[in-house]
Every structure is written in structure tokens, then in C-alpha cells.
Amino acid sequence: ADLAMAEQQLTPEEQQARWLEEGKAVVKQQAFLMKRALDNTNLRDGLKYGSNMLCELRTGLLSPKNFYELYIMVADEMRHLEQYFLEEWKRGRRMVELYELVQHAGNIVPRLFLLITVGSVYIRSKEAPARDILKDLVEMCRGVQHPMRGLFLRNYLLQCARDKLPDIGSEFGSDVGDGIDFLMHNFAEMNKLWVRMQHQGPVRDRERRERERLDLRILVGTNLVRLSNLEGIDAEMYKTQVLPRILEQVVSCKDQIAQQYLMEVIIQVFPDEFHLRTLEEFLATCPQLQSGVDVKAILVALMNRLAAFAKAEPAQVPSDVDMLAIFHSHVAKMTGSNTLELAASLDLQVALVNFALGFAPDRLDFVDQTLAVCAELLQANGESRLQGPAKHSTVQLLKTPLLSNGQPLTILALPHYAGLMIYLPLESRSEVATLAVRMLLSNKTPVPTPEQVDSLLNFIQPLVKDVEEDGPNELDEEEMDAEQNLIAALIHNFRSDDTDTQYAILVGSRKHFGQGGPRRIKYTLVPVVFRALQLAEKIRKEEEGERAGTVSIKKVFGFTLETIKGLASAEPVMALRLFLQASLIANKCGEDKIAYELVSQAFILYEDEVSDSKVQMELVLEAAGTLFRLDRLDPEDYDTLVTNTTKHAARLLKKPDQCRAVYTCSHLFWNAGVKYEDGRTFQDGKRVLDCLQRSLKIADVCMQSSNNVNLFIEILDRYLYYYEAGNEKVTVKYIQGLLDLVNEHLSTMEAGQELDALRGHYQSTLAHIRRKKTAGDEKFAELSV
């Protein structure tokens, strides 16, 4: 009573574990006794203990998973018995005697397991044809009709016979038909047993039974694996003798789980060449399957497999079979039957597109035809924005041609391709658009016409501008940066050898990018400006070679100016730098008035928009560097700009910045590149000296002694530069005065790292002066160092 109560308190999992352990314990004990008896050549006791061990497989208590574990343990022990039979045969014993002897076992389950074990050696002995023994064994197995016990018994038969099947080149018979008959017979019986499991027990346990059946499906599928391994089966034999018999079993069993699994196994285990030859037969079976079977998944699996085969082995695809027409016909029937959900119908179309691109990459008309069907399905669906599985399927539908064809512009040109984007939400459209951009970049594909650029930018619109119906764009800065850097890189693929066409491309693309908002234009308008500047240089070269188009260089610079102004509201500092860069190109092209206007625009931006002192310092130095290189400017215009630059330098917030900016601007007044009409260079010694003197005064009022000493040394270097360059206004008196001033300040500074650094800089300057003196340079003779 206590034991019964304890058992009632166990969970089903615990009860299963207990039964399994009890069964394994018995198997272990009886296997030990069997092996001991066999070691003593006591066959009768060996068979008795072996039969006792096999009796554990009569249990109906274990779940399929646990029964399988027990079965594996028993099958492993049975190898010892099979080895004993083999040794008996080698010692001269006839196997037919043993074959008859084991049939006296009391219970049918151990009797048939023993019979199969002896039968395996019987076939090896070749005392009787393998065909006859296999036929006898497969018939005898009908004696066990309990589904689970019968399945495992027949699986044991299959395992024992796997290397003894009649086949081409086999020592057990060369007629592959005998091997096919055995496997088909065993397959048919196992399938019946497997299906029967569904109808045993109460309705409330249906889900559990279905799970158990799925656990056992591999036992049935192994028959088809063995069939596929027979060397003697060729495509013709498969078409006439094998597949029809398999499909007959599949259809006649009228079981959803079995049909779904077996159709998928057929696709997986048999060679692609066989499928290509039997496509009509296989597809004709699909409408005969039970209503609950996911035929869509079967067709998708077959199309994807054949598409992969066609890409890998294009020469193996038969030319006499119109695969596209066959699949299209069956898919159309399924889609038109109205039994499929939208996502399932779209999945079929995705597989069809993938299949078409694999089998006939040049048949883009077929791809577009399929896309047109999808457009009709989506339009009939009525949803403005897809969600869930249908959304995922549509994304795959758009991605598949891009990935398979590898030429985004070719795919975008398909009439029914881009229109499918409207059914996707923003996130999905961005995903597809990003893929298209990445492929264009990886292939380095040029986009050579304004029409193609416009079409592409419309397609990737989610990456180019915010769309009102989708609400605000929620991308964070990092995501936006990655996305827009792709677009910026793409702009460099917008290129044509014809300058007029290139200009039209830039104008058209700017219209799109100009709507991108402040978060985007800082990425997209910059490369547009640089492409325009490259175009300006190209036009200048063509004008020199008398091959000019209709677009003038002034028109291009006008476009550049307006584009930079469009960027100025969002990124004034970037725009200012672009004005300076553009002025250099204008100068290079000989357009001095345009260069002047561009620098003037930069100064307007500086005065109106730049307030950060650190940025101001950087921009003043950049402006000075730019102006020094503008050697085509009219000297009067140049004078105006450099004077303006020097004023801005003197107005910087921090005194050290003022000092450095002013002495840097002194170089602008000593520019041999800028020339008057009479050949004189723009070198005004007095204004250079004014700049140096002014920077010296600013340095003198700096509060930190280390700072102003450092500035004094830097200014001394500038004095020496102009003195050597021949500026008559810079005399020995100024240089000697500065030397004395630096010496005085250094002598009063406290020892430390700052003083060491300053001394190092100063000593380098003094070493230069000494070298000049030693070399006999008269200019330096009067200096005392």
C-alpha cells in the first residue's frame, strides 16, 4: 500500500525515469548472463538470457524517447550475440539451423529480434540468397503490430541489413530491384505503424501522441535514406520504380503529419538531378495531400534546393524541361485557390523568384511577372502598411533579387519592383534600401544618368528624407551616422564621363538631399559639393582642350555656392570650410572673382554664426592658410581679404590666440605668389612689421610668464624668417631687442619642466643664428647671442 501511494505521488517525468532505470537494470543483468553463457559456448542459455533481455522491449509504459534509450542499450548488447553467431558460422555451423532454432523463443518480440540477428549472419554466409532472407524477415516482422514496438523492430532490421542489400557491385546480389523491394516493403509497413499511433488512446491525449510521433519520425525516414544510398538507382529508375511507390504510400496514408514529413524527406535525401527529372510527378502529388499539410513549405524547400543546385552546377540543369513554367503553373494554382494566407502566398513567390534567378539569371521578365502577381496580392489585401509574417515575406521578396542578381540598378529598372516598397513600414523600407546601397558600394557600380539617380533616390527615400506618414525618425546619432555615411559614399558613385550629364546628376540629387533636414544634409551635401568641385576642374580641362560642353564653369560654381549656403543653416562651420575649399578650386581654375566671392561668403558666415573662441582660432588660421594660396586674386581684392582676416585675428578672445593669429597673418602681407600687373609681388615689409609689433604687444600683456616667454620666442622666429627673406623693415635692432627680452625673462623663471621646454626651443633658435654667423652671413654678424 505504501509503495502504491509513493508511485501515485511521482510526477509523470519521475515515473518515466523510474521505469527506464528498472528496464536498464534488467537489460544489464541479463546481458551479463548472456555473455557469460556465450563465453562458455552454452548457446541455449545464451539465447534464454538474450530472450529475457529482449523481453524488456515488450513494455508499453515508456515514452518514445525513453524507449529509444532502452532500445539502443539492447541493440548494443545484441552485437555480442551477432558476433557469436558469426564465429559459429566460421567454425562450420550452418546458419539455417540457428535460423530455425531461434524461432522457438516463447514471445514474438524477442523471437523476431533474435531472428533478425541470426538473419544478418545468414545473409553473410550466402547459404541462401540475400533476397529471400530479407523478404522472409520483412514478412515475419508483421507479427508485431504494436506501433512503437513494431517501429523499433523494423528499425533494427534496417540497421542489420544496411550493408547487405542487393545493389550494383554488392556481394549479396547485384539486382538493385531486390534492395528497392525490401526497403519499400519495410517503409510501407513502418509508415502504417507510425500513422496508427495517431488513433490509439483518448482524444484528450492527441497533442501528446503527436509529439511522440514526431519523436519517432526519423525511424520511418531512415528507409528513404537507405533507398537514396543505393548505387544502382539512376534518374530513370527513380522516376519509374522508386518515386511512384513512395508517393503512393504518402498519399494513401491520409495522415497530415506523415505526409508533411515524408514529402520534406524526399526533397532532402534524393539527389537534385532526380528531382529535376520528376518535377511534374512530385508537384502533381501536392494537391492530393491532406488539407492541413503545409504545401507551401514543401514547394519552397524544393525550389530553394533546386535554385542552389542551379547556381552551383548550371551545366547539370536539363535544357529540355521548362522548370520555370512548371513551378509557375503550380504556384499560380495554389495562390489562386484562396486557401493560403497572404504571408504563405508571398513566401511561395519569394521561393519562385529565388528559383528563377538560380535557374535562369537572365529571365528578369519572369521575375517581374512574379513581382506583378505579388503587387496584385498586396493590393487585394487592402493593408497600407504590412505587419508580422506578411511584412517579413515582402522584405524577402525585395531582397532576394538584389542578392541573387547583384546588380541593383537592373533590379530597380523592373516595372513592378520599386512599387512594392509602399506596403512596408519605415523600418523595413530602410532595411531594403540599405541593402541596395551596400550592394552598389560593394560592386562599385556607377549610376551614370540623372534618371537612374532619381529612380534610385526615390527607392531609398527612407534614408534620404523623413516621410510624414511614418512619423518622426527615431534613429539615434550613431545609427544616423552609419546610415548617412553610406549615402555620402554612394554619392561618389553618381558619375558620368559627360560633364553636362554629370551636372544634371548633381542638380537632381541635390533636390532630393536638400529635403533631408538638418540631421542629414551635414552628411549628404558635403560630397555633392566635392563632386561639383571635381566637375569644375574637369570642365576647365575640357575648355583648354576645346571640348567643352554646354555647362559653364561659372554655372557649376554658382551651384556649389548655393549648395554650401543650403548647408550653412545646419552646419555653419562645415559650410565655412567648404567655402574656403571651393575658393582654392576656383583659384586653380583661374576664376579669381569667384574665389573672392567664396571667401567673402566664408567671412559673412564667420561673423554671423561662429562664437566659440576655439573654433574661431582654428578658422582664422585656416582662412589665412587658404588666402596665402590664392595666387590668382587681384592684388586689391587680396589686400581687402587679408586685411579683414588680420582684423578678425586681432579680435580673438584669448590673448595667446590673438598673438599667434596676428603673427600668422603677417605672412599674408609677404606673398610672392600674388602679383601686380607690372610684375611686382605683394610684399609689404611695413605691414609685416606692423603685424609683428602688434603681436609683440599682445604677448607682453599676457599674465603667465611662461606663456609670454613662449610667445616671444615664436615671434623671434618670425622676425628671423623675414630678416633672412629680405624684409628691409625688419632690422637687427628688433631681433637683438627680442633676444635680450627673452634672456631677461628666462633668467627670472623658476626651474622646472616649463623652463626646460622653453630653453630647448630657444636654444634651437640660437643654434640657427650661430650657424649663420659661422657661415659668414653678414646679416647676422652684428647679432650678439
Side-chain angles (χ1 to χ4, degrees), residues 297-313:
I298 294 168
L299 283 181
V300 168
L302 181 58
M303 283 191 279
N304 287 344
R305 171 154 184 171
L306 293 180
F309 173 72
K311 288 177 184 176
E313 302 285 346

Side-chain angles (χ1 to χ4, degrees), residues 659-714:
C659 175
R660 291 188 171 98
V662 170
Y663 74 57
T664 299
C665 287
S666 68
H667 291 277
L668 298 176
F669 297 103
W670 194 260
N671 190 347
V674 179
K675 296 179 181 179
Y676 293 91
E677 290 182 1
D678 58 6
R680 287 182 298 118
T681 58
F682 192 91
Q683 291 180 312
D684 189 335
K686 183 177 183 307
R687 293 172 77 180
V688 169
L689 183 62
D690 289 344
C691 286
L692 295 178
Q693 293 290 79
R694 186 168 188 176
S695 64
L696 198 56
K697 288 179 182 177
I698 297 168
D700 198 38
V701 298
C702 286
M703 298 300 291
Q704 291 182 337
S705 60
S706 61
N707 227 340
N708 60 15
V709 175
N710 195 23
L711 292 171
F712 289 152
I713 297 170
E714 291 173 17

Side-chain angles (χ1 to χ4, degrees), residues 54 79 185 261 319 328 334 391 560 605 609 660 714:
L54 289 162
R79 288 210 302 270
H185 192 157
Y261 171 66
S319 57
H328 185 264
M334 288 192 64
K391 177 192 76 172
T560 305
L605 260 185
E609 301 289 345
R660 291 188 171 98
E714 291 173 17

Side-chain angles (χ1 to χ4, degrees), residues 258-409:
Q259 290 180 341
Q260 184 82 51
Y261 171 66
L262 293 174
M263 292 294 275
E264 290 172 357
V265 169
I266 292 170
I267 294 169
Q268 289 170 13
V269 303
F270 289 104
D272 297 303
E273 294 89 337
F274 290 7
H275 294 316
L276 293 174
R277 293 293 181 188
T278 56
L279 206 50
E280 285 280 16
E281 294 84 345
F282 185 86
L283 293 176
T285 306
C286 292
Q288 303 174 46
L289 302 177
Q290 297 298 103
S291 58
V293 175
D294 187 358
V295 179
K296 180 266 299 182
I298 294 168
L299 283 181
V300 168
L302 181 58
M303 283 191 279
N304 287 344
R305 171 154 184 171
L306 293 180
F309 173 72
K311 288 177 184 176
E313 302 285 346
Q316 298 296 320
V317 179
S319 57
D320 58 335
V321 184
D322 190 350
M323 302 291 172
L324 296 182
I326 294 171
F327 270 119
H328 185 264
S329 169
H330 283 275
V331 169
K333 285 177 188 174
M334 288 192 64
T335 307
S337 65
N338 294 323
T339 58
L340 293 178
E341 293 182 357
L342 177 63
S345 297
L346 291 172
D347 282 343
L348 273 175
Q349 303 298 336
V350 171
L352 194 57
V353 167
N354 188 42
F355 178 75
L357 289 166
F359 261 85
D362 54 332
R363 286 289 306 277
L364 292 178
D365 58 319
F366 183 86
V367 173
D368 191 58
Q369 182 184 340
T370 308
L371 295 172
V373 172
C374 296
E376 291 174 11
L377 288 170
L378 292 170
Q379 191 172 2
N381 179 57
E383 287 185 55
S384 59
R385 291 285 187 264
L386 297 171
Q387 295 298 330
K391 177 192 76 172
H392 174 75
S393 301
T394 306
V395 169
Q396 291 306 115
L397 186 66
L398 289 164
K399 280 183 165 185
T400 298
L402 289 174
L403 292 167
S404 295
N405 180 268
Q407 298 296 330
L409 294 182

